[in-house]
Amino acid sequence: MSRTESSLFFLNCRLQDPVIRPFDQLDTTAIDDILPEIPLWIKNPDYERVDWLNKFILDMWPYLDKAICANIRSIAQPMFDQYIGKFHIDAIQFENLSLGTLPPVIHGIKVFQTNEKELVMEPAIRWAGNPNIVLSVKVLSLHIRIQLVDLQVFAAPRVTLKPLVPTFPCFANAAVSLMEKPYVDFGMKILGADIMSIPGLYRYIQETIKKNNAGPYLWPRAHKVPILDPSTVVTKKPVGILHVKVIRAMKLLKMDLLGASDPYVKLSLTGERLPAKKTNVKRNNLNPEWNENFKFIVKDPSTQTLKLQVYDWDKVGGHDKLGMQLVPLDSLRPYEKKELKLNLKNGSDVDDHHKKQRGHLVVELTVVPFKEESASFKGSFSEYKRYESGIDQPPDEDGAFEGAGLLSVMVIGAEDVEGERHNNPYAIVVYRGDKKKTRMIRKTRRPFWNEEFQFMLDEPPLKEKIHIEVMSKRSGISFRSKESLGHVQINLSDVVHNGRINEKYHLINSKNGVIHVEIRWETV
């Protein structure tokens, strides 16, 4: 064979196609060699492949390596300093600290859907790294070099982002748990010798790592990492009910040329966007008596103020203001009825001390905190006693507040709602004849409203139901502009007994429609 023929022969050998066999034709040994390398997104359909994330980690790894190592140095240095002077140790420091060039690989990620405002993920992480970590210890003028080699880590953490909030990055905390003890393997060289080959030492170190490092984070334990300042994401929730009784007014101004004024009182609470409440109109009366009761939801007693305005009703034109007054809620004691005789003012910035008196308004106010929110009132009314139970709580003489509470209905969203003519869904909540509705979202089968409605009740709704219906409305003017996409009736007895439910309900008269609702019952 000539030299040219020999070269062509070896070239053809190198360019031969590899032997490819179907998976079912492989022998047991070959299958056993392949199975550990198959990613989880192939073996388990619950896991999603995240090649894009691995590419991102690979490109960012040189920078992540430096950032993580800098953080390790800052954490480890105070720990090293504690041993200086003990056991004849003169110095401890990192001679080399690098995580190497091989980043961790995420072999799949599983995402869970829950009814709560959270996002739950379980990534499967494998890291066969080539770190360069050398620790130098000076003992009795002798330098001892400890080197970590052949690091391998397999872990399956659960990462929970909660609660989800409308402030970037849209979650307030990250909680990390280990669903099982991670696998950690490494070699350790001291003075150039691999001490992990010492009989019994490898097993002892492995168990120590799992016990001390993995134990505190094994599910259901979790390591919580705050992401946002609580003050930036806190949402005001109801802490109590303000009971207002408008009793009477005296010596009101006469605003009409013929006859006396026709007064009524408008009541509102600062910090709320709800419409103001009104008393009845008392015709031709400068000393009217109303004796009418109103209730307001209190969210922040330290800052909220009750605004009382007295008007003269007129058939034509705007109503004349007879006077107004403000009552800060932090001036009220919890559970104590307080009757106030208020001097009416003109409500402007001009001092009307020397002007004509506008009369007086007599009201009775009582703030009743929810049982679980007593601490909120304790913080706002620092000089007042916190009532922990019915034993310490002052008795309610007329039983006006016995069993009273707040029913909160949060309509979160819906899925697979489909109309015959259009899909512009909104939800209607009907309870005791009171109807409330969410905003309309156009052209969607998966609306997300996240709107809350509240009903103040004098007694627990044990044997009652609440009606929730998903409707669709055509945006233009036409016949049959509205249609029902399904409804549901929810028994409130479970809400009263449990305090809260958070469920998804299948909509009646809907093929696949589901509505997500959270309902709470808070008692005073």
Side-chain angles (χ1 to χ4, degrees):
M1 181 181 293
S2 65
R3 186 173 181 180
T4 303
E5 292 174 341
S6 176
S7 300
L8 290 174
F9 174 78
F10 286 108
L11 182 61
N12 291 333
C13 291
R14 288 197 300 270
L15 296 178
Q16 279 184 336
D17 293 334
V19 177
I20 299 176
R21 295 180 183 177
F23 191 77
D24 57 358
Q25 294 182 9
L26 296 178
D27 56 22
T28 304
T29 304
I31 293 176
D32 290 340
D33 292 338
I34 293 174
L35 282 178
E37 305 302 324
I38 295 178
L40 282 175
W41 59 267
I42 294 179
K43 293 187 286 186
N44 191 331
D46 290 339
Y47 280 84
E48 303 286 345
R49 61 185 300 178
V50 284
D51 296 340
W52 64 271
L53 184 55
N54 288 320
K55 181 64 168 59
F56 172 79
I57 295 175
L58 178 63
D59 293 342
M60 289 291 294
W61 186 244
Y63 307 97
L64 291 172
D65 178 21
K66 293 181 180 180
I68 295 172
C69 290
N71 195 26
I72 292 175
R73 287 182 184 274
S74 63
I75 294 175
Q77 193 58 50
M79 301 171 62
F80 292 163
D81 293 341
Q82 294 179 2
Y83 291 95
I84 303 300
K86 298 180 181 179
F87 311 108
H88 304 286
I89 297 176
D90 296 328
I92 304 177
Q93 62 181 2
F94 283 110
E95 185 175 311
N96 293 311
L97 179 56
S98 173
L99 300 181
T101 58
L102 301 177
V105 177
I106 301 177
H107 281 247
I109 188 169
K110 182 163 53 176
V111 180
F112 295 91
Q113 288 187 344
T114 69
N115 291 344
E116 305 299 330
K117 296 179 179 179
E118 63 183 11
L119 179 62
V120 183
M121 301 175 292
E122 284 188 8
I125 302 174
R126 294 184 180 182
W127 185 23
N130 56 346
N132 182 16
I133 302 176
V134 179
L135 187 66
S136 176
V137 182
K138 186 177 180 180
V139 182
L140 296 175
S141 300
L142 177 65
H143 286 276
I144 301 176
R145 299 174 76 252
I146 304 172
Q147 184 179 10
L148 182 70
V149 295
D150 301 329
L151 177 64
Q152 296 185 43
V153 179
F154 299 160
R158 172 176 290 181
V159 182
T160 304
L161 309 179
K162 65 175 184 180
L164 302 180
V165 295
T167 304
F168 190 80
C170 299
F171 58 93
N173 300 286
V176 181
S177 299
L178 293 174
M179 304 311 295
E180 57 186 19
K181 292 183 178 180
Y183 173 78
V184 181
D185 191 13
F186 58 90
M188 186 176 293
K189 293 183 178 181
I190 297 181
L191 299 175
D194 188 0
I195 66 169
M196 301 301 284
S197 61
I198 299 176
L201 181 61
Y202 175 79
R203 183 179 181 86
Y204 171 76
I205 292 178
Q206 286 287 335
E207 293 299 325
T208 302
I209 291 175
K210 291 182 179 180
K211 181 179 180 181
N212 296 336
N213 294 333
Y217 307 118
L218 282 178
W219 189 88
R221 300 185 183 96
H223 176 60
K224 186 176 180 181
V225 181
I227 304 299
L228 295 177
D229 185 355
S231 62
T232 63
V233 299
V234 64
T235 56
K236 297 293 184 180
K237 66 175 184 177
V239 296
I241 296 177
L242 171 65
H243 296 260
V244 182
K245 183 177 183 180
V246 181
I247 301 176
R248 68 177 70 88
M250 299 170 290
K251 300 180 180 179
L252 296 177
L253 289 178
K254 180 180 178 181
M255 303 297 291
D256 299 333
L257 296 177
L258 301 175
S261 299
D262 302 322
Y264 69 92
V265 182
K266 182 186 290 188
L267 307 90
S268 61
L269 199 61
T270 59
E272 292 289 343
R273 297 182 180 180
L274 300 175
K277 301 183 180 183
K278 301 177 183 179
T279 66
N280 292 322
V281 178
K282 296 298 181 179
R283 303 287 184 178
N284 198 28
N285 196 334
L286 298 181
N287 298 282
E289 288 196 17
W290 287 283
N291 291 313
E292 296 183 27
N293 295 296
F294 302 90
K295 296 177 184 177
F296 294 90
I297 299 170
V298 179
K299 293 185 177 179
D300 190 354
S302 63
T303 61
Q304 286 185 291
T305 300
L306 175 65
K307 187 176 183 180
L308 300 157
Q309 302 177 87
V310 184
Y311 285 90
D312 175 28
W313 182 86
D314 288 322
K315 288 185 178 181
V316 181
H319 301 175
D320 298 324
K321 182 183 288 188
L322 300 178
M324 60 86 63
Q325 189 56 270
L326 301 174
V327 181
L329 298 193
D330 60 4
S331 64
L332 306 176
R333 295 174 181 268
Y335 301 106
E336 180 184 62
K337 291 183 180 179
K338 188 172 184 179
E339 185 173 305
L340 301 175
K341 184 178 179 181
L342 306 173
N343 294 322
L344 295 176
K345 299 181 178 181
N346 63 4
S348 64
D349 296 332
V350 180
D351 185 12
D352 60 350
H353 179 71
H354 300 290
K355 293 185 177 181
K356 189 176 183 180
Q357 294 296 318
R358 294 177 171 268
H360 308 283
L361 179 66
V362 180
V363 295
E364 184 181 85
L365 307 178
T366 310
V367 176
V368 183
F370 297 129
K371 291 179 180 178
E372 62 272 20
E373 297 295 343
S374 296
S376 299
F377 280 80
K378 181 181 179 182
S380 302
F381 310 105
S382 57
E383 72 272 26
Y384 303 138
K385 177 181 177 182
R386 175 184 175 184
Y387 300 106
E388 296 283 358
S389 65
I391 298 176
D392 298 327
Q393 181 174 326
D396 184 13
E397 296 178 359
D398 56 6
F401 310 133
E402 184 178 357
L406 180 70
L407 182 69
S408 300
V409 182
M410 173 74 78
V411 184
I412 299 174
E415 301 173 10
D416 297 326
V417 289
E418 187 173 4
E420 295 180 0
R421 296 177 296 277
H422 42 75
N423 268 88
N424 304 314
Y426 63 96
I428 297 177
V429 180
V430 182
Y431 180 66
R432 292 186 178 180
D434 191 2
K435 181 185 294 186
K436 304 176 185 294
K437 67 178 182 178
T438 67
R439 69 189 186 280
M440 182 184 72
I441 302 179
R442 299 184 59 186
K443 298 181 180 179
T444 180
R445 295 178 58 189
R446 295 174 60 90
F448 180 76
W449 297 294
N450 203 40
E451 295 187 31
E452 187 174 19
F453 307 103
Q454 296 165 336
F455 305 88
M456 286 180 288
L457 309 177
D458 293 327
E459 58 185 12
L462 283 169
K463 299 181 180 180
E464 298 185 65
K465 297 181 179 180
I466 192 166
H467 180 88
I468 303 177
E469 185 170 9
V470 180
M471 300 288 295
S472 178
K473 182 179 180 180
R474 192 184 299 274
S475 56
I477 300 175
S478 63
F479 294 103
R480 302 180 66 185
S481 62
K482 296 181 182 179
E483 64 175 307
S484 175
L485 306 183
H487 68 275
V488 66
Q489 285 192 328
I490 303 173
N491 290 316
L492 297 178
S493 57
D494 290 341
V495 182
V496 175
H497 291 130
N498 299 323
R500 173 181 178 268
I501 62 171
N502 187 351
E503 299 288 346
K504 291 184 177 180
Y505 298 91
H506 289 281
L507 292 169
I508 301 172
N509 295 334
S510 175
K511 185 177 180 180
N512 299 310
V514 175
I515 189 167
H516 186 187
V517 181
E518 179 184 350
I519 306 178
R520 298 191 311 272
W521 170 249
E522 297 170 287
T523 58
V524 297

